[in-house]
Amino acid sequence: MTLLSDTRYLFVRFLKKLVRNPILLFFSLFQPIVFLVLFTQLLTRLANVPGVLPPGVSYLQFATAGILLQNAFSSALQSGNSIVADIDSGYLQKMLVTPVQRPAILLGRLLSDAFRVVIQSAIILGLAYLLGAYVVTGVLGVLFIFFTIAFFGLAWSGISLAIGMKTRSSETVFAIGGFITFPLLFLSPALFPLDFLPEWVQFVSQFNPISYAVEACRAFMIVGYDWATILPAWGVIGLVAVVTMSATLFQFRKVVS
């Protein structure tokens, strides 16, 4: 068996496992959809305040990029719970006595996580379109948004995977995930314009990777191909990916050794 065929097999296995758990799929999308349908309507008059949003941009269109990142962030942090479940059920140990390529175990999971985030993002973008938000860069811009979201999801999956393999506790993964998700989200321009936030939040947001990722998606949504914003964002996400994947590989080697 090759690394490619092993990765494909495990990718399909993880997808089947996900499809067989529709409750998880529903509740993983429940929060972003509530934000999209309810939260954006509550703040729709924000667009009427002069100078807050770019001219002609509704709050729904502005906030959709942030909601996409919120979903990717939350979904990525669920990866750690899955690896803990595989360890507790003995599935991972059974895999290790087979001739499967060891890197394929991680690659299959990460690719399935990225695919799930893209499907969820497509659902959110479709619903946002029905509500009146659209992507000014068209189909190509949507594909770039999917790429950015999937890249971001891969980078942040490494955090929960490393925590899951280190602690082997779903409760700990869930607690740490909840602890960092909302602070990082609200310390970024995900849901509100940067100029609308307190000065100390504006300062902190400069060091928040979510700020860069959401601005890249927002550029595709409402600005256009603003590469001066998009390329640095991909660079920051890549840096996060290097750090988190290094931690994941370190913990994975300890688990399989």
Side-chain angles (χ1 to χ4, degrees), residues 55-68:
V57 175
S58 67
Y59 180 71
L60 170 67
Q61 194 163 6
F62 175 86
T64 296
I67 294 171
L68 287 171

Side-chain angles (χ1 to χ4, degrees), residues 148 151 209 211-217 228-238:
T148 305
F151 193 18
S211 300
Y212 294 89
V214 75
E215 291 293 12
C217 291
T229 298
I230 297 163
L231 293 179
W234 288 349
V236 170
I237 296 172

Side-chain angles (χ1 to χ4, degrees), residues 36 60-61 64 122-134 221:
L36 188 70
L60 170 67
Q61 194 163 6
T64 296
I123 293 172
I124 293 172
L125 275 178
L127 186 57
Y129 181 79
L130 294 177
L131 293 172
Y134 59 92
M221 284 284 302

Side-chain angles (χ1 to χ4, degrees), residues 13-14 17 77-93 106 109 159-174 252 255:
R13 181 257 174 186
F14 290 133
K17 184 179 177 182
L77 291 174
Q78 292 174 7
S79 298
N81 290 327
S82 299
I83 195 75
V84 172
D86 283 349
I87 294 173
D88 288 343
S89 67
Y91 176 79
L92 183 59
Q93 287 75 11
L106 275 181
R109 176 171 299 283
I159 294 179
S160 64
L161 285 171
I163 295 172
M165 287 186 283
K166 173 67 177 178
T167 65
R168 305 190 181 190
S169 166
S170 297
E171 291 82 2
T172 303
V173 174
F174 182 78
F252 186 69
V255 170

